[in-house]
Amino acid sequence: MAYENILVEKLEGRVGLIRLNRPRALNALSSALVRELMDALRALNADDEVGCIVITGSERVFAAGADIKEMSTATPVEMLAVDLLDWDALRKAKKPVIAAVSGWALGGGCELAMACDMIVASETATFGQPEINLGIIPGAGGTQRLIRAVGKALAMEMILNARNLSAEEAYQFGLVNRVVPAESYLDEALTLAREIAARAPVAVRLAKEAVNKAYEMTLAEGLAYEQRAFFLLFSTEDQREGMQAFMEKRKPEWKGR
Ligand code: CAA
């Protein structure tokens, strides 16, 4: 698939990078852009040379939300056909996905960042769910993921009263992993991605899965799920290698099996 709204690169250190690239519309998430993003995620997820994926925008804007011009005349059935709302390929990605956010992350842009596994923010990042200003509510996970990230009180204020969060506030409330200068936010995200991509791949995959299950299961179910994943890792060469390397005081060499 040839892309018109995103740029995709494979970088050294087993990292796949996707840049949202509709600068004139502030990376508004049109249905075409989201289709391309999901396609690129599927391809990078299936690529053995990629261990971790980074999604970014530009320094000015991560994404200013769903494309309001496209949506303004849509019918419910047309909206149903858009992939945007459930981030299918992102939710199904087995590899960790990091959002590198600078500038505006509003509406669907904030929801996209929150659907990733981690967020590295630049000092200029602004997170918000301003859909109420358009007479609608968040439709791509905002009401559900925001409450889990920042708690009910603040989520209510953001969603009911279009209260934005600065990068620093987002860090304080646990929405983002770290805040770094605008010049280095992408490098920081790529470094984090390379570090994770260099780790034991099967363990990384099962770790991501187990953490995400915490959102969907009761504690008892989640603990049982974690144990199964933990036991499963004792069937891998990497578990033998990791423990052997520790005892021999050397760096492990991961095989990914
Ligand atoms: N959709 C379509 N076009 C958009 C857009 C969007 N979400 N956001 C910005 N643009 C366009 C503007 O229309 C403008 O285009 P023109 O030059 O052709 O008029 C261009 O991008 C630049 O935007 P501004 O002139 O507004 O730039 P600014 O710097 O003055 O303001 C901003 C930046 C505060 C982000 C402002 O653009 C803005 O408020 N955007 C809309 C944010 C929003 O409401 N997002 C929620 C969308 S709904 C949603 O996401 C639903 C969901 O949950 C899935």
Side-chain angles (χ1 to χ4, degrees):
M1 182 174 188
Y3 300 136
E4 292 176 3
N5 301 285
I6 61 171
L7 302 169
V8 183
E9 287 172 79
K10 284 204 284 179
L11 304 176
E12 55 155 312
R14 307 186 65 242
V15 172
L17 174 63
I18 304 176
R19 293 176 197 261
L20 310 179
N21 186 37
R22 276 189 86 201
R24 266 174 291 173
L26 301 190
N27 292 339
L29 302 163
S30 62
S31 48
L33 185 151
V34 175
R35 250 193 317 275
E36 291 179 11
L37 175 60
M38 294 304 122
D39 186 78
L41 278 168
R42 274 182 209 107
L44 291 175
N45 191 50
D47 189 330
D48 287 341
E49 290 171 3
V50 171
C52 192
I53 300 166
V54 174
I55 301 178
T56 195
S58 64
E59 197 175 316
R60 180 178 178 206
V61 59
F62 179 68
D67 190 318
I68 299 168
K69 293 170 188 167
E70 185 182 80
M71 267 188 319
S72 62
T73 56
T75 65
V77 173
E78 281 161 358
M79 290 304 293
L80 251 182
V82 179
D83 281 340
L84 169 66
L85 301 177
D86 71 353
W87 309 118
D88 184 55
L90 185 52
R91 283 192 301 110
K92 288 181 186 156
K94 307 292 182 202
K95 294 168 187 171
V97 184
I98 299 172
V101 176
S102 185
W104 301 109
L106 298 179
C110 185
E111 292 168 302
L112 170 60
M114 289 193 293
C116 294
D117 299 310
M118 281 168 269
I119 304 177
V120 173
S122 96
E123 284 163 349
T124 65
T126 300
F127 298 87
Q129 299 288 163
E131 287 89 345
I132 201 82
N133 293 334
L134 302 167
I136 56 169
I137 67 168
T143 63
Q144 304 305 299
R145 290 199 176 93
L146 200 53
I147 187 175
R148 288 166 165 84
V150 305
K152 176 180 161 183
L154 187 55
M156 282 286 189
E157 203 179 330
M158 292 176 71
I159 293 165
L160 274 59
N161 204 27
R163 148 102 144 90
N164 285 345
L165 288 190
S166 67
E168 206 43 58
E169 287 175 313
Y171 180 68
Q172 275 169 26
F173 289 110
L175 183 66
V176 308
N177 291 69
R178 60 184 82 163
V179 179
V180 296
E183 311 84 74
S184 57
Y185 78 98
L186 185 55
D187 286 341
E188 282 277 339
L190 292 173
T191 300
L192 178 59
R194 285 191 184 105
E195 286 172 4
I196 294 169
R199 297 189 180 280
V202 186
V204 167
R205 174 178 168 167
L206 292 183
K208 166 176 164 149
E209 243 173 64
V211 172
N212 280 332
K213 288 289 176 196
Y215 283 123
E216 288 157 24
M217 293 178 159
T218 63
L219 180 60
E221 289 165 341
L223 292 172
Y225 188 91
E226 180 193 80
Q227 279 201 354
R228 298 292 180 277
F230 177 72
F231 296 149
L232 182 61
L233 286 164
F234 284 76
S235 67
T236 63
E237 286 179 32
D238 284 348
Q239 174 267 331
R240 297 271 182 273
E241 167 65 6
M243 295 190 181
Q244 199 62 36
F246 173 82
M247 291 184 293
E248 290 169 10
K249 301 189 189 305
R250 61 173 174 83
K251 272 189 80 177
E253 279 182 39
W254 306 123
K255 298 279 191 319
R257 56 179 187 259

